[in-house]
């Protein structure tokens, strides 16, 4: 089973008596680690108040396409919200909302979001049994499933209208388990993955050092996505302020040399290595035992090259499938391709940096993945979502590689 930690869930409530369960559902989603935003249709507000949902989600409730609260600084509020979500869960999904989603209509905020998103969409139908069994509803469900929309339930039992049969919305705990399973892709199950993350710290003296602006967010998100994909995952992390991702074995290091040693201690077990860390290229030639006094007007620091961790892993005979990152401010693809060739890696994730709101120390990022098959552009999105897309592409490329090559790697263990 997957988890909902750090998953961004947009709960779309439509008009049905089961809407009363949404306050409990929201609370439980948040307890399970998810961030929740709520969108309500007009009909939904007849069953549960926006104030209730605002209180339990701790965020404004969105109701209209041109809602200022969604994104005050943009006229494309619905697009911002559609981009934000990892999952849109429509619960309860009325017969009318299923029909609109099946037809691809966009006549309110919720249906517009479902059309405008590339996130996973799931519906939890809730309606009278006759409405559920009506061939029109069943046709709509078949269309939704064909379009990749997940259908959760419904359950059978006594209904609010007094009848008994299929059409009850699943209980919140069941919906949460099904939602979590959507993220457990199994794409890397049975494989071992090592990810590096964060900056390194290269000491000058006991209190000073050289580092960089890497927060570790990208690497931690990649480790999280690898675990969600079923991999046994080791995260070798430079100094960060981040909480360790669940189910990941975290090895903390400080310098690039320590990172190299930690990676090589474990690399014999790895099927895939992903170098996200901004490991320092250079370190001070000498580290002063005592704090250096500021007696001189100027001072010169001599730096020497650090080992290249990524290249050293790529050079291992029959080594793991190796993915590097290339942080570049200019000529992104050109320089990234050169790094792919020079370091001998299987794939490189070209990362334009020095751009506001992406790259170092931001929540969002954008990547261009380059391998011998070509380039895949992953546009700007939240790092957790980007990491899942990256892992999907790595899994595809790993499994597409000559299977004997991967078998040889397995035998090395
Ligand atoms: O941590 P965040 O704030 O979320 O920011 C994410 C990020 C911008 C750091 C990340 O997305 C990224 O681009 N990481 C690579 C940063 C980097 O050092 O790029 P580079 O082009 O200098 O290095 C190329 C590759 O060599 C990288 O895979 C790097 O891990 C590796 N390397 C570099 C130096 C070194 N001594 N050993 C290495 O293995």
């Amino acid at each position: 089973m997957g988890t909902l930690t750090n998953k961004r869930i947009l709960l779309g409530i439509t008009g049905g008596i089961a809407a009363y369960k949404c306050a409990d559902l929201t609370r439980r989603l948040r307890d399970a680690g998810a961030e929740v935003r709520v969108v309500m249709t007009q009909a939904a507000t007849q069953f549960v108040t926006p104030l209730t949902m605002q209180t339990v989600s701790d965020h404004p409730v969105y109701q209209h396409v041109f809602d200022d609260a969604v994104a005050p600084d943009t006229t494309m509020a619905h697009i911002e919200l559609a981009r934000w979500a990892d999952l849109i869960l429509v619960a309860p999904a009325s017969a009318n909302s299923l029909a609109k989603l099946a037809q691809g209509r966009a006549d309110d905020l919720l249906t517009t979001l479902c059309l405008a998103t590339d996130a996973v969409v799931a519906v939890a139908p809730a309606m009278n049994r006759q409405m559920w069994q009506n061939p029109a509803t069943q046709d709509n469900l078949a269309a939704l499933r064909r379009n990749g929309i997940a259908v959760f339930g419904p359950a059978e039992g006594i209904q609010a209208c007094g009848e008994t049969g299929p059409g009850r919305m699943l209980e919140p705990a069941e919906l949460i388990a099904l939602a979590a399973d959507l993220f457990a892709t199994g794409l890397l199950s049975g494989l071992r993955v090592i990810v590096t993350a964060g900056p390194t710290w290269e000491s000058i003296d006991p209190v000073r050092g050289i580092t960089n602006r890497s927060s570790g967010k990208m690497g931690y998100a990649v480790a999280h996505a690898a675990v969600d994909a079923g991999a046994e995952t080791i995260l070798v992390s430079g100094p960060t302020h981040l909480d360790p991702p669940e189910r990941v074995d975290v090895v903390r290091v400080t310098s690039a040399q320590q990172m190299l040693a930690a990676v090589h201690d474990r690399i014999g077990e790895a099927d895939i290595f992903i170098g996200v860390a901004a490991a320092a290229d250079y370190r001070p030639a000498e580290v002063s035992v005592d704090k250096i006094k500021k007696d001189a007007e100027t001072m010169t620091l001599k730096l020497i090259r650090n080992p290249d961790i990524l290249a050293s892993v790529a050079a291992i005979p029959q080594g793991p499938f190796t993915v590097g990152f290339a942080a570049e401010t200019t000529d992104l693809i050109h320089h990234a391709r050169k790094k792919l060739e020079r370091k001998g890696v299987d794939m490189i994730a070209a990362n334009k940096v020095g751009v506001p709101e992406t790259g170092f120390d931001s929540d969002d990022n954008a990547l261009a993945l380059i391998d011998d098959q070509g380039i895949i552009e992953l546009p700007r999105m939240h790092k957790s979502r980007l990491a899942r897309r990256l892992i999907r592409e790595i899994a595809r490329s790993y499994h597409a590689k000559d299977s004997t090559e991967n078998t040889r790697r397995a035998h090395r263990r």
Side-chain angles (χ1 to χ4, degrees):
M1 184 178 142
T3 77
L4 291 178
T5 309
N6 296 332
K7 306 298 186 304
R8 300 161 141 213
I9 298 183
L10 193 73
L11 176 62
I13 309 178
T14 73
I17 183 61
Y20 84 89
K21 294 181 183 174
C22 286
D24 183 35
L25 175 60
T26 301
R27 190 183 54 78
R28 287 172 185 249
L29 283 168
R30 294 184 66 198
D31 286 350
E35 268 187 74
V36 183
R37 301 282 187 277
V38 177
V39 172
M40 297 178 77
T41 64
Q42 279 310 101
T45 62
Q46 303 291 315
F47 294 92
V48 61
T49 69
L51 182 60
T52 303
M53 296 312 303
Q54 174 173 327
T55 308
V56 290
S57 68
D58 202 21
H59 279 281
V61 168
Y62 311 115
Q63 298 180 58
H64 310 290
V65 175
F66 299 104
D67 215 331
D68 252 11
V70 177
D73 301 331
T74 171
T75 50
M76 302 295 280
H78 56 288
I79 301 294
E80 290 296 316
L81 209 44
R83 279 193 190 134
W84 175 87
D86 293 320
L87 165 67
I88 299 184
L89 173 60
V90 184
S94 64
N96 184 44
S97 64
L98 295 181
K100 291 203 289 184
L101 291 175
Q103 289 168 17
R105 295 183 67 148
D107 59 1
D108 60 17
L109 178 59
L110 181 58
T111 48
T112 305
L113 287 170
C114 289
L115 267 191
T117 193
D118 67 353
V120 184
V121 178
V123 293
M127 66 199 73
N128 161 272
R129 70 175 177 87
Q130 293 287 5
M131 293 171 86
W132 171 254
Q133 285 163 340
N134 191 300
T137 302
Q138 292 303 314
D139 285 350
N140 290 333
L141 279 156
L144 292 175
R145 286 195 176 100
R146 266 198 315 278
N147 293 339
I149 292 180
V151 180
F152 294 167
E156 292 204 18
I158 299 176
Q159 304 198 303
C161 55
E163 296 183 15
T164 302
R168 283 171 61 95
M169 187 172 87
L170 293 183
E171 293 305 320
E174 295 171 295
L175 292 177
I176 285 167
L178 289 168
D181 279 349
L182 289 177
F183 293 99
T185 61
L187 286 170
L188 297 180
S189 59
L191 299 180
R192 294 194 183 123
V193 174
I194 298 182
V195 181
T196 64
T200 60
W201 171 270
E202 310 297 330
S203 290
I204 297 171
D205 69 14
V207 295
R208 304 182 183 93
I210 299 173
T211 188
N212 59 63
R213 290 182 48 221
S214 170
S215 61
K217 287 179 191 170
M218 189 72 236
Y220 278 53
V222 170
H224 198 126
V227 162
D228 274 351
E232 204 179 297
T233 305
I234 297 172
L235 175 65
V236 181
S237 171
T240 75
H241 298 290
L242 303 177
D243 291 334
E246 287 169 8
R247 300 167 292 154
V248 170
D249 182 6
V250 181
V251 182
R252 295 200 183 273
V253 297
T254 303
S255 66
Q257 285 175 297
Q258 290 171 1
M259 189 172 271
L260 176 84
V263 165
H264 279 275
D265 280 351
R266 294 157 180 87
I267 203 69
E269 301 291 301
D271 300 287
I272 298 174
F273 174 80
I274 310 172
V276 193
D281 293 318
Y282 293 90
R283 67 179 185 277
E286 284 171 20
V287 182
S288 171
V289 179
D290 296 315
K291 184 179 171 202
I292 300 171
K293 297 284 175 208
K294 56 171 184 193
D295 299 331
E297 267 315 302
T298 62
M299 86 176 261
T300 304
L301 201 58
K302 185 173 174 200
L303 302 178
I304 52 173
R305 277 289 282 270
N306 261 332
D308 190 313
I309 304 158
L310 179 65
S312 71
V313 171
I316 297 172
Q318 293 162 27
F321 183 90
T322 309
V323 182
F325 270 59
E328 306 290 346
T329 51
T330 56
D331 292 336
L332 180 68
I333 303 300
H334 172 74
H335 289 308
R337 265 195 212 287
K338 286 226 163 309
K339 272 183 190 161
L340 175 91
E341 287 157 18
R342 195 172 66 243
K343 302 199 183 203
V345 296
D346 294 289
M347 179 188 279
I348 200 127
N351 195 166
K352 185 121 173 91
V353 292
V355 188
E357 295 178 34
T358 64
F360 284 89
D361 199 19
S362 60
D363 289 338
D364 288 2
N365 203 6
L367 298 171
L369 308 185
I370 307 173
D371 65 7
D372 55 9
Q373 301 297 304
I375 300 185
I376 297 173
E377 298 278 354
L378 300 181
R380 181 184 155 185
M381 62 188 98
H382 194 268
K383 281 178 179 168
S384 59
R385 189 143 158 224
L386 186 66
R388 282 196 291 279
R389 296 280 297 273
L390 171 67
I391 287 294
R392 203 192 302 163
E393 294 307 329
I394 291 174
R396 179 196 51 73
S397 190
Y398 172 86
H399 292 298
K401 281 256 152 189
D402 178 8
S403 58
T404 52
E405 200 177 320
N406 290 333
T407 310
R408 268 189 277 127
R409 283 180 181 134
H411 284 161
R412 198 164 40 85
R413 298 209 286 260

